[in-house]
Amino acid sequence: MGRIVIHVDMDHFFTAIEEREMPEIRGKPIVVGADPEKGRGVVSTCNYEARKFGIKSGMPISRAYRLCPDAVFLPVNYNLYKKVSREIMEILRKYADKLERWGLDEAFLDVSSRVRDYKEAESLAKEIKKEIFEKEKLTCSIGIGPNKLVAKIASDFRKPDGLTVVEENNAKAFLAPLPVRKLIGVGRKTERKLKEMGIETVGDLASYDPSKLVDALGVMGTKLYLMAQGIDESEVIEREDRKSIGRELTFDEDTDDLGFVKGILDMLSECVYENILKKDLSFKTVTLKIRYENFETHVYSKTLPFRTRQLEHLKKIAKELLVNNLKDLEDLKIRLVGVRVSNLVPMKGQRKLELDIQ
Ligand code: TTP
Ligand code: MG
Protein backbone atom coordinates (compact mmCIF):
# COMPACT_ATOMS: atom_id res chain seq x y z
CA MET A 1 0.00 0.00 0.00
CA GLY A 2 1.09 3.58 -0.66
CA ARG A 3 1.39 6.33 1.90
CA ILE A 4 -1.34 7.62 4.17
CA VAL A 5 -1.12 11.27 5.13
CA ILE A 6 -3.27 13.09 7.68
CA HIS A 7 -3.72 16.87 7.64
CA VAL A 8 -4.97 18.59 10.78
CA ASP A 9 -6.26 22.18 10.67
CA MET A 10 -7.61 23.86 13.78
CA ASP A 11 -11.02 25.53 13.47
CA HIS A 12 -11.05 29.36 13.54
CA PHE A 13 -7.92 29.03 15.62
CA PHE A 14 -7.33 32.45 17.22
CA THR A 15 -10.99 33.11 17.97
CA ALA A 16 -11.55 29.56 19.25
CA ILE A 17 -8.83 30.16 21.82
CA GLU A 18 -10.37 33.51 22.81
CA GLU A 19 -13.78 31.84 23.24
CA ARG A 20 -12.24 29.20 25.40
CA GLU A 21 -10.60 31.83 27.60
CA MET A 22 -13.71 34.02 27.82
CA PRO A 23 -16.87 31.90 28.02
CA GLU A 24 -18.97 35.07 28.23
CA ILE A 25 -18.30 35.89 24.55
CA ARG A 26 -19.11 32.41 23.28
CA GLY A 27 -21.80 32.32 20.59
CA LYS A 28 -21.25 35.95 19.58
CA PRO A 29 -19.52 37.01 16.37
CA ILE A 30 -15.85 37.47 17.29
CA VAL A 31 -13.09 39.12 15.28
CA VAL A 32 -9.40 38.97 16.19
CA GLY A 33 -7.22 41.64 14.60
CA ALA A 34 -4.94 44.54 15.33
CA ASP A 35 -6.01 47.86 16.77
CA PRO A 36 -9.78 47.49 16.94
CA GLU A 37 -10.10 50.77 18.85
CA LYS A 38 -8.54 52.88 16.16
CA GLY A 39 -10.24 50.88 13.43
CA ARG A 40 -6.94 50.14 11.72
CA GLY A 41 -5.25 46.87 10.85
CA VAL A 42 -6.69 43.72 9.31
CA VAL A 43 -8.74 40.77 10.47
CA SER A 44 -6.46 37.88 11.51
CA THR A 45 -9.41 35.57 11.80
CA CYS A 46 -13.02 35.52 12.91
CA ASN A 47 -15.32 32.82 14.21
CA TYR A 48 -18.05 31.16 12.14
CA GLU A 49 -20.75 33.46 13.55
CA ALA A 50 -18.81 36.46 12.25
CA ARG A 51 -18.24 34.77 8.89
CA LYS A 52 -22.03 34.77 8.39
CA PHE A 53 -21.78 38.57 8.11
CA GLY A 54 -19.20 38.27 5.33
CA ILE A 55 -16.17 38.98 7.53
CA LYS A 56 -12.96 37.25 6.38
CA SER A 57 -9.25 36.97 7.24
CA GLY A 58 -7.22 39.78 5.70
CA MET A 59 -10.12 42.25 5.52
CA PRO A 60 -9.57 45.73 7.02
CA ILE A 61 -10.96 45.90 10.56
CA SER A 62 -12.91 49.01 9.58
CA ARG A 63 -14.78 47.03 6.96
CA ALA A 64 -15.46 44.18 9.40
CA TYR A 65 -16.85 46.76 11.79
CA ARG A 66 -19.22 48.09 9.15
CA LEU A 67 -20.38 44.56 8.32
CA CYS A 68 -21.05 43.69 11.97
CA PRO A 69 -20.74 46.52 14.51
CA ASP A 70 -21.98 44.22 17.27
CA ALA A 71 -19.15 41.74 16.89
CA VAL A 72 -16.62 41.38 19.70
CA PHE A 73 -13.34 42.88 18.44
CA LEU A 74 -10.19 41.61 20.14
CA PRO A 75 -6.49 42.35 19.74
CA VAL A 76 -4.10 39.59 18.67
CA ASN A 77 -2.68 37.73 21.67
CA TYR A 78 0.03 36.04 19.70
CA ASN A 79 1.98 34.65 22.66
CA LEU A 80 -1.05 32.76 23.89
CA TYR A 81 -1.78 31.31 20.42
CA LYS A 82 1.84 30.24 20.11
CA LYS A 83 1.71 28.45 23.43
CA VAL A 84 -1.49 26.61 22.47
CA SER A 85 0.02 25.77 19.09
CA ARG A 86 3.05 24.20 20.76
CA GLU A 87 0.81 22.12 23.00
CA ILE A 88 -1.21 20.89 20.03
CA MET A 89 1.90 19.97 18.05
CA GLU A 90 3.09 18.07 21.10
CA ILE A 91 -0.12 16.03 21.04
CA LEU A 92 0.11 15.40 17.27
CA ARG A 93 3.76 14.37 17.51
CA LYS A 94 2.78 11.12 19.25
CA TYR A 95 0.57 10.00 16.40
CA ALA A 96 2.99 10.40 13.48
CA ASP A 97 6.09 8.84 12.01
CA LYS A 98 6.85 12.27 10.64
CA LEU A 99 5.20 15.57 11.52
CA GLU A 100 5.36 18.71 9.41
CA ARG A 101 4.04 21.90 10.98
CA TRP A 102 2.46 24.45 8.69
CA GLY A 103 2.07 27.73 10.48
CA LEU A 104 0.49 27.81 13.91
CA ASP A 105 -2.62 25.75 13.39
CA GLU A 106 -1.88 23.14 10.73
CA ALA A 107 0.22 20.02 10.45
CA PHE A 108 0.77 17.06 8.16
CA LEU A 109 1.28 13.64 9.72
CA ASP A 110 2.72 10.74 7.82
CA VAL A 111 1.09 7.74 9.48
CA SER A 112 1.93 5.12 6.83
CA SER A 113 3.67 2.75 9.22
CA ARG A 114 1.09 3.24 11.99
CA VAL A 115 -2.01 2.10 10.15
CA ARG A 116 -2.79 -0.69 7.73
CA ASP A 117 -5.59 0.99 5.83
CA TYR A 118 -7.83 4.05 5.60
CA LYS A 119 -10.24 2.62 8.17
CA GLU A 120 -7.48 2.52 10.76
CA ALA A 121 -6.34 5.99 9.73
CA GLU A 122 -9.87 7.21 10.36
CA SER A 123 -9.87 5.75 13.85
CA LEU A 124 -6.53 7.38 14.51
CA ALA A 125 -7.93 10.72 13.36
CA LYS A 126 -10.87 10.33 15.74
CA GLU A 127 -8.46 9.68 18.58
CA ILE A 128 -6.51 12.80 17.65
CA LYS A 129 -9.68 14.91 17.66
CA LYS A 130 -10.70 13.47 20.99
CA GLU A 131 -7.36 14.12 22.64
CA ILE A 132 -7.14 17.69 21.33
CA PHE A 133 -10.66 18.38 22.52
CA GLU A 134 -10.14 16.85 25.93
CA LYS A 135 -6.83 18.57 26.56
CA GLU A 136 -7.38 21.91 24.84
CA LYS A 137 -11.16 22.27 24.49
CA LEU A 138 -10.64 23.09 20.82
CA THR A 139 -11.93 21.44 17.67
CA CYS A 140 -10.08 20.73 14.46
CA SER A 141 -10.86 19.45 11.01
CA ILE A 142 -8.95 16.51 9.62
CA GLY A 143 -8.33 15.26 6.10
CA ILE A 144 -6.89 11.86 5.23
CA GLY A 145 -5.42 11.05 1.84
CA PRO A 146 -2.68 9.31 -0.13
CA ASN A 147 -0.53 12.47 -0.11
CA LYS A 148 -0.23 15.99 1.34
CA LEU A 149 -2.21 17.65 -1.42
CA VAL A 150 -5.29 15.48 -1.07
CA ALA A 151 -5.11 15.43 2.75
CA LYS A 152 -4.97 19.23 2.91
CA ILE A 153 -7.88 19.73 0.57
CA ALA A 154 -9.83 17.07 2.45
CA SER A 155 -9.36 18.80 5.82
CA ASP A 156 -10.86 21.95 4.33
CA PHE A 157 -13.79 20.05 2.83
CA ARG A 158 -15.96 19.88 5.93
CA LYS A 159 -15.39 22.50 8.57
CA PRO A 160 -15.63 22.97 11.53
CA ASP A 161 -15.03 19.70 13.37
CA GLY A 162 -14.93 17.72 10.12
CA LEU A 163 -13.30 14.45 9.15
CA THR A 164 -12.93 13.61 5.47
CA VAL A 165 -11.29 10.49 4.11
CA VAL A 166 -10.25 10.34 0.46
CA GLU A 167 -8.76 7.06 -0.63
CA GLU A 168 -6.18 6.95 -3.38
CA ASN A 169 -8.49 5.54 -6.03
CA ASN A 170 -11.02 8.26 -5.22
CA ALA A 171 -8.65 11.20 -5.19
CA LYS A 172 -9.12 12.34 -8.78
CA ALA A 173 -12.91 12.21 -8.59
CA PHE A 174 -12.88 14.01 -5.23
CA LEU A 175 -10.80 16.87 -6.63
CA ALA A 176 -12.57 17.18 -10.00
CA PRO A 177 -15.49 19.47 -9.04
CA LEU A 178 -13.38 21.80 -6.89
CA PRO A 179 -12.23 25.22 -8.14
CA VAL A 180 -8.54 25.27 -9.18
CA ARG A 181 -7.88 27.79 -6.40
CA LYS A 182 -8.04 24.94 -3.89
CA LEU A 183 -4.82 23.44 -5.25
CA ILE A 184 -1.66 24.23 -3.29
CA GLY A 185 0.24 27.07 -4.95
CA VAL A 186 -2.63 28.42 -7.04
CA GLY A 187 -3.04 32.09 -6.21
CA ARG A 188 -5.17 34.74 -7.80
CA LYS A 189 -2.74 35.20 -10.72
CA THR A 190 -2.60 31.55 -11.77
CA GLU A 191 -6.33 31.28 -11.25
CA ARG A 192 -6.89 34.14 -13.69
CA LYS A 193 -4.52 32.67 -16.24
CA LEU A 194 -6.24 29.29 -16.09
CA LYS A 195 -9.63 30.93 -16.40
CA GLU A 196 -8.50 32.61 -19.61
CA MET A 197 -7.68 29.12 -20.90
CA GLY A 198 -11.19 27.97 -19.99
CA ILE A 199 -10.06 26.02 -16.92
CA GLU A 200 -12.11 26.61 -13.79
CA THR A 201 -12.29 23.31 -11.95
CA VAL A 202 -9.62 20.77 -11.10
CA GLY A 203 -11.48 18.41 -13.45
CA ASP A 204 -11.04 20.88 -16.34
CA LEU A 205 -7.35 20.90 -15.54
CA ALA A 206 -7.09 17.11 -15.35
CA SER A 207 -8.47 16.66 -18.85
CA TYR A 208 -6.52 19.53 -20.43
CA ASP A 209 -3.70 18.86 -22.90
CA PRO A 210 -0.61 18.76 -20.63
CA SER A 211 1.76 20.06 -23.31
CA LYS A 212 -0.41 23.17 -23.72
CA LEU A 213 -0.33 23.68 -19.95
CA VAL A 214 3.46 23.54 -20.01
CA ASP A 215 3.57 26.02 -22.91
CA ALA A 216 1.42 28.45 -20.98
CA LEU A 217 2.76 27.96 -17.45
CA GLY A 218 6.16 26.26 -17.66
CA VAL A 219 7.10 23.98 -14.76
CA MET A 220 3.99 25.09 -12.89
CA GLY A 221 1.96 23.60 -15.77
CA THR A 222 3.39 20.13 -15.16
CA LYS A 223 2.85 20.45 -11.43
CA LEU A 224 -0.73 21.55 -11.87
CA TYR A 225 -1.47 18.72 -14.26
CA LEU A 226 -0.11 16.14 -11.82
CA MET A 227 -1.97 17.71 -8.89
CA ALA A 228 -5.20 17.57 -10.89
CA GLN A 229 -4.71 13.80 -11.21
CA GLY A 230 -4.38 13.65 -7.42
CA ILE A 231 -0.64 13.04 -7.65
CA ASP A 232 1.73 14.66 -5.18
CA GLU A 233 5.02 13.00 -4.31
CA SER A 234 6.19 15.61 -1.80
CA GLU A 235 7.29 14.13 1.50
CA VAL A 236 6.10 15.07 4.95
CA ILE A 237 9.21 16.84 6.18
CA GLU A 238 10.10 17.19 9.82
CA ARG A 239 11.56 20.69 10.05
CA GLU A 240 13.98 21.71 12.72
CA ASP A 241 12.08 24.67 14.04
CA ARG A 242 14.25 25.25 17.05
CA LYS A 243 16.12 28.47 16.67
CA SER A 244 18.52 27.78 19.52
CA ILE A 245 19.56 25.12 21.98
CA GLY A 246 20.68 26.04 25.46
CA ARG A 247 21.25 24.86 29.00
CA GLU A 248 21.59 26.88 32.17
CA LEU A 249 22.25 26.27 35.81
CA THR A 250 21.56 28.18 39.00
CA PHE A 251 24.19 27.52 41.64
CA ASP A 252 23.23 26.30 45.10
CA GLU A 253 25.30 29.16 46.43
CA ASP A 254 26.39 32.29 44.59
CA THR A 255 30.04 32.00 43.65
CA ASP A 256 33.06 34.01 42.56
CA ASP A 257 35.24 30.94 42.00
CA LEU A 258 36.16 31.36 38.33
CA GLY A 259 37.65 27.89 38.00
CA PHE A 260 34.42 26.37 39.26
CA VAL A 261 32.28 28.47 36.90
CA LYS A 262 34.47 27.45 33.97
CA GLY A 263 33.98 23.81 34.90
CA ILE A 264 30.22 24.32 34.93
CA LEU A 265 30.38 26.01 31.52
CA ASP A 266 32.21 22.97 30.16
CA MET A 267 29.52 20.73 31.56
CA LEU A 268 26.70 22.86 30.10
CA SER A 269 28.55 22.95 26.77
CA GLU A 270 28.67 19.17 26.77
CA CYS A 271 24.89 18.96 27.38
CA VAL A 272 24.23 21.39 24.53
CA TYR A 273 26.66 19.49 22.33
CA GLU A 274 24.88 16.21 22.96
CA ASN A 275 21.67 17.84 21.74
CA ILE A 276 23.36 19.24 18.66
CA LEU A 277 24.63 15.78 17.75
CA LYS A 278 21.25 14.17 18.35
CA LYS A 279 19.57 16.69 16.05
CA ASP A 280 22.43 16.58 13.53
CA LEU A 281 22.96 20.35 13.59
CA SER A 282 25.82 22.76 13.25
CA PHE A 283 25.99 26.24 14.82
CA LYS A 284 27.58 29.61 14.24
CA THR A 285 26.67 31.60 17.33
CA VAL A 286 27.44 30.92 20.98
CA THR A 287 25.75 32.91 23.72
CA LEU A 288 26.73 33.08 27.37
CA LYS A 289 24.29 34.19 30.02
CA ILE A 290 25.43 35.36 33.43
CA ARG A 291 23.14 36.31 36.28
CA TYR A 292 24.78 38.02 39.23
CA GLU A 293 23.80 37.81 42.88
CA ASN A 294 21.78 41.03 42.53
CA PHE A 295 19.83 39.38 39.67
CA GLU A 296 21.42 41.63 37.10
CA THR A 297 21.56 39.48 33.97
CA HIS A 298 23.95 39.87 31.06
CA VAL A 299 24.06 38.07 27.75
CA TYR A 300 27.16 37.96 25.55
CA SER A 301 27.40 36.40 22.10
CA LYS A 302 30.02 35.52 19.58
CA THR A 303 29.29 34.58 16.00
CA LEU A 304 31.91 32.60 14.14
CA PRO A 305 32.67 33.24 10.48
CA PHE A 306 32.02 29.54 9.79
CA ARG A 307 29.63 26.78 10.88
CA THR A 308 30.90 24.25 13.35
CA ARG A 309 29.75 21.35 15.46
CA GLN A 310 32.89 20.88 17.50
CA LEU A 311 32.64 20.59 21.23
CA GLU A 312 36.06 22.23 21.64
CA HIS A 313 34.86 25.37 19.80
CA LEU A 314 31.82 25.57 22.00
CA LYS A 315 33.74 25.14 25.27
CA LYS A 316 36.45 27.60 24.25
CA ILE A 317 34.04 30.36 23.18
CA ALA A 318 31.83 29.98 26.25
CA LYS A 319 34.83 30.42 28.54
CA GLU A 320 36.25 33.26 26.45
CA LEU A 321 32.97 35.10 26.73
CA LEU A 322 33.08 34.66 30.49
CA VAL A 323 36.66 35.83 30.95
CA ASN A 324 36.35 38.77 28.54
CA ASN A 325 33.19 40.11 30.08
CA LEU A 326 33.54 39.48 33.78
CA LYS A 327 35.84 42.44 34.39
CA ASP A 328 33.25 45.14 34.82
CA LEU A 329 31.32 43.29 37.53
CA GLU A 330 34.02 41.25 39.16
CA ASP A 331 33.12 42.16 42.71
CA LEU A 332 29.69 40.55 42.34
CA LYS A 333 29.11 36.85 42.83
CA ILE A 334 27.52 34.77 40.09
CA ARG A 335 24.14 33.19 40.61
CA LEU A 336 23.49 31.50 37.26
CA VAL A 337 25.29 30.73 34.01
CA GLY A 338 23.91 29.47 30.70
CA VAL A 339 25.31 28.37 27.35
CA ARG A 340 23.28 28.59 24.17
CA VAL A 341 23.99 27.98 20.48
CA SER A 342 22.01 29.50 17.63
CA ASN A 343 22.22 30.09 13.89
CA LEU A 344 21.55 26.38 13.59
CA VAL A 345 21.75 24.52 10.30
CA PRO A 346 20.98 20.84 9.73
CA MET A 347 24.10 18.93 8.72
CA LYS A 348 22.02 16.99 6.23
CA GLY A 349 21.11 20.15 4.33
CA GLN A 350 24.67 21.31 4.45
CA ARG A 351 26.03 18.16 2.94
CA LYS A 352 23.44 18.36 0.22
CA LEU A 353 24.34 21.96 -0.46
CA GLU A 354 28.00 21.04 -0.76
CA LEU A 355 27.15 18.31 -3.23
CA ASP A 356 25.03 20.71 -5.25
CA ILE A 357 27.89 23.14 -5.52
CA GLN A 358 30.45 20.58 -6.66
P1 TTP B 1 -6.60 29.39 9.02
O1 TTP B 1 -6.47 27.95 9.35
O2 TTP B 1 -6.54 29.81 7.60
O3 TTP B 1 -7.96 29.96 9.60
P2 TTP B 1 -8.75 29.61 10.90
O4 TTP B 1 -8.09 28.51 11.68
O5 TTP B 1 -8.96 30.88 11.66
O6 TTP B 1 -10.15 29.17 10.37
P3 TTP B 1 -10.58 27.78 9.71
O7 TTP B 1 -11.59 27.20 10.65
O8 TTP B 1 -11.18 28.16 8.40
O9 TTP B 1 -9.34 26.96 9.58
O10 TTP B 1 -5.50 30.23 9.79
C1 TTP B 1 -5.06 29.89 11.09
C2 TTP B 1 -4.78 31.11 11.92
O11 TTP B 1 -3.83 31.95 11.28
C3 TTP B 1 -6.00 31.98 12.12
O12 TTP B 1 -6.77 31.61 13.25
C4 TTP B 1 -5.45 33.35 12.22
C5 TTP B 1 -4.16 33.33 11.46
N1 TTP B 1 -4.32 34.03 10.18
C6 TTP B 1 -3.95 35.37 10.09
O13 TTP B 1 -3.44 35.94 11.07
N2 TTP B 1 -4.12 36.02 8.90
C7 TTP B 1 -4.68 35.42 7.80
O14 TTP B 1 -4.85 36.06 6.74
C8 TTP B 1 -5.08 34.04 7.89
C9 TTP B 1 -5.70 33.33 6.72
C10 TTP B 1 -4.87 33.40 9.10
MG1 MG C 1 -7.48 26.71 10.76
Side-chain angles (χ1 to χ4, degrees):
M1 198 192 64
R3 291 187 294 161
I4 296 189
V5 176
I6 291 181
H7 181 252
V8 179
D9 187 328
M10 300 304 296
D11 299 321
H12 66 100
F13 190 50
F14 294 2
T15 41
I17 296 173
E18 297 293 354
E19 282 185 30
R20 180 186 81 178
E21 303 294 307
M22 291 183 275
E24 67 276 15
I25 63 171
R26 219 169 277 160
K28 296 182 184 166
I30 305 167
V31 177
V32 166
D35 263 356
E37 300 292 324
K38 302 181 194 106
R40 275 186 285 139
V42 295
V43 173
S44 289
T45 196
C46 56
N47 63 357
Y48 287 78
E49 285 81 356
R51 289 179 201 189
K52 285 183 204 149
F53 293 86
I55 302 176
K56 287 193 181 106
S57 294
M59 175 182 280
I61 291 277
S62 52
R63 175 127 182 262
Y65 183 78
R66 281 198 299 277
L67 286 169
C68 182
D70 294 332
V72 178
F73 289 86
L74 299 171
V76 183
N77 187 353
Y78 200 67
N79 285 336
L80 172 64
Y81 313 148
K82 251 188 2 208
K83 176 176 158 282
V84 178
S85 170
R86 271 199 298 272
E87 287 166 8
I88 287 165
M89 297 300 164
E90 204 69 29
I91 293 174
L92 296 179
R93 176 98 282 296
K94 301 195 301 267
Y95 290 92
D97 298 329
K98 283 183 280 179
L99 176 88
E100 181 174 346
R101 305 177 39 164
W102 263 43
L104 283 182
D105 88 324
E106 289 177 48
F108 291 101
L109 289 74
D110 190 321
V111 296
S112 310
S113 83
R114 309 264 174 134
V115 297
R116 273 169 300 187
D117 52 28
Y118 282 87
K119 219 74 251 93
E120 284 188 11
E122 191 175 343
S123 311
L124 196 72
K126 284 181 182 156
E127 268 179 61
I128 292 174
K129 275 167 156 300
K130 189 160 164 260
E131 184 169 348
I132 292 181
F133 190 75
E134 277 170 4
K135 295 218 167 112
E136 297 292 339
K137 297 281 167 288
L138 295 170
T139 63
C140 61
S141 297
I142 295 188
I144 303 176
N147 53 46
K148 284 161 75 175
L149 170 79
V150 175
K152 181 161 167 67
I153 295 174
S155 75
D156 188 48
F157 192 66
R158 229 172 274 131
K159 248 182 172 299
D161 204 13
L163 173 54
T164 304
V165 184
V166 181
E167 299 197 17
E168 186 158 23
N169 52 14
N170 244 339
K172 199 173 163 184
F174 168 74
L175 297 177
L178 304 175
V180 286
R181 189 64 192 274
K182 292 275 177 189
L183 296 176
I184 298 173
V186 176
R188 215 161 282 157
K189 237 169 93 188
T190 312
E191 184 186 33
R192 201 174 330 117
K193 224 169 180 176
L194 290 171
K195 196 164 180 191
E196 282 165 14
M197 297 163 74
I199 301 170
E200 297 205 9
T201 66
V202 180
D204 297 340
L205 193 58
S207 54
Y208 208 80
D209 178 350
S211 62
K212 285 196 184 130
L213 280 175
V214 175
D215 286 345
L217 296 146
V219 188
M220 182 70 177
T222 315
K223 228 178 130 196
L224 285 174
Y225 184 74
L226 290 174
M227 283 200 282
Q229 320 297 323
I231 298 171
D232 167 30
E233 305 281 354
S234 66
E235 297 277 328
V236 175
I237 297 169
E238 206 64 60
R239 268 193 226 107
E240 182 55 57
D241 60 2
R242 272 229 250 171
K243 295 203 168 56
S244 68
I245 294 176
R247 287 286 175 278
E248 53 185 55
L249 185 80
T250 305
F251 302 130
D252 289 338
E253 265 177 56
D254 301 344
T255 181
D256 53 7
D257 180 345
L258 210 55
F260 172 70
V261 177
K262 282 183 182 171
I264 295 295
L265 286 183
D266 279 349
M267 187 201 82
L268 292 171
S269 297
E270 277 166 29
C271 292
V272 169
Y273 176 70
E274 205 176 295
N275 243 294
I276 294 171
L277 278 192
K278 218 178 334 176
K279 303 227 148 61
D280 204 21
L281 298 167
S282 63
F283 62 90
K284 256 178 113 169
T285 303
V286 179
T287 302
L288 170 75
K289 179 162 148 189
I290 309 175
R291 179 166 296 145
Y292 292 94
E293 57 186 334
N294 61 354
F295 278 84
E296 205 174 304
T297 305
H298 293 251
V299 172
Y300 308 101
S301 292
K302 178 172 178 172
T303 298
L304 296 166
F306 51 86
R307 304 196 180 285
T308 178
R309 60 170 354 193
Q310 287 190 32
L311 176 60
E312 285 321 305
H313 285 145
L314 180 53
K315 283 184 169 176
K316 185 162 159 275
I317 297 166
K319 283 181 287 192
E320 255 173 39
L321 287 168
L322 175 76
V323 174
N324 295 345
N325 294 295
L326 260 186
K327 294 175 214 88
D328 18 332
L329 284 152
E330 62 191 359
D331 50 336
L332 284 176
K333 286 188 174 173
I334 298 175
R335 179 181 162 75
L336 167 152
V337 285
V339 175
R340 178 167 293 279
V341 291
S342 54
N343 251 321
L344 304 175
V345 173
M347 289 301 280
K348 251 186 284 165
Q350 222 175 331
R351 275 199 291 272
K352 180 168 180 303
L353 210 66
E354 281 160 14
L355 282 178
D356 287 347
I357 292 166
Q358 278 164 9

